[in-house]
Amino acid sequence: MAEPASRPAVLVDSNVLLDIVTEDPVWFDWSAGHLTTLRAEARIVINPVIHAEVSSRFVAADLADAALPRDVFRREPLPWDAAFLAGKAFLAYRRAGGARRSPLPDFLIGAHAAVAGYRLLTRDAARYRIYFPRLELVAP
């Protein structure tokens, strides 16, 4: 059964999902606990960027899909407005001296949450706080 769109939503950052998938010895409990708690009160959302980052840990697409079941994770496309906002945030990051080492996925994830009005569950909040200051984070 589909969840009502009026229910609040949380976009789940790939680092949280990777903590769970890899059973990270430091972060598994934090990530799994927060995901479980938020699932009781909100729609849990992922996008293609998050799916790509998590699925890189699997040898086959069906295994990645099993780890990210559709009855738990609502899959949404990346909004066009989010792509624009991510580009602007990434440009500001680069102009501030940010490294070239591919942080663009984080900007796409943060922009998606910001444009859609979602909270973001992440354990890597520093960049999101700087470049998306109004974004509500669930973070350590």
Side-chain angles (χ1 to χ4, degrees):
M1 176 174 16
E3 294 180 273
S6 61
R7 190 170 185 211
V10 176
L11 190 68
V12 181
D13 198 353
S14 49
N15 57 41
V16 169
L17 297 172
L18 288 168
D19 291 342
I20 296 167
V21 167
T22 64
E23 297 183 8
D24 184 274
V26 175
W27 289 104
F28 175 84
D29 289 338
W30 186 91
S31 293
H34 279 78
L35 182 60
T36 299
T37 299
L38 290 168
R39 186 174 174 210
E41 64 188 54
R43 292 176 291 136
I44 302 299
V45 178
I46 61 173
N47 66 29
V49 174
I50 295 163
H51 190 274
E53 289 187 321
V54 174
S55 67
S56 69
R57 298 293 182 147
F58 296 92
V59 297
D62 60 331
L63 297 174
D65 286 341
L68 299 168
R70 290 176 187 263
D71 63 329
V72 175
F73 299 97
R74 178 178 174 176
R75 296 171 186 217
E76 290 187 0
L78 187 67
W80 286 100
D81 290 345
F84 180 81
L85 179 58
K88 292 300 182 188
F90 183 67
L91 181 60
Y93 165 81
R94 289 291 300 131
R95 286 183 174 157
R100 283 197 180 268
R101 67 164 192 61
S102 251
L104 188 54
D106 289 345
F107 288 99
L108 289 166
I109 291 166
H112 182 174
V115 165
Y118 297 163
R119 289 178 287 166
L120 178 64
L121 174 60
T122 184
R123 66 167 168 74
D124 187 19
R127 193 175 297 141
Y128 295 120
R129 285 191 177 116
I130 293 168
Y131 295 99
F132 304 99
R134 291 187 297 247
L135 180 59
E136 184 180 343
L137 300 176
V138 179

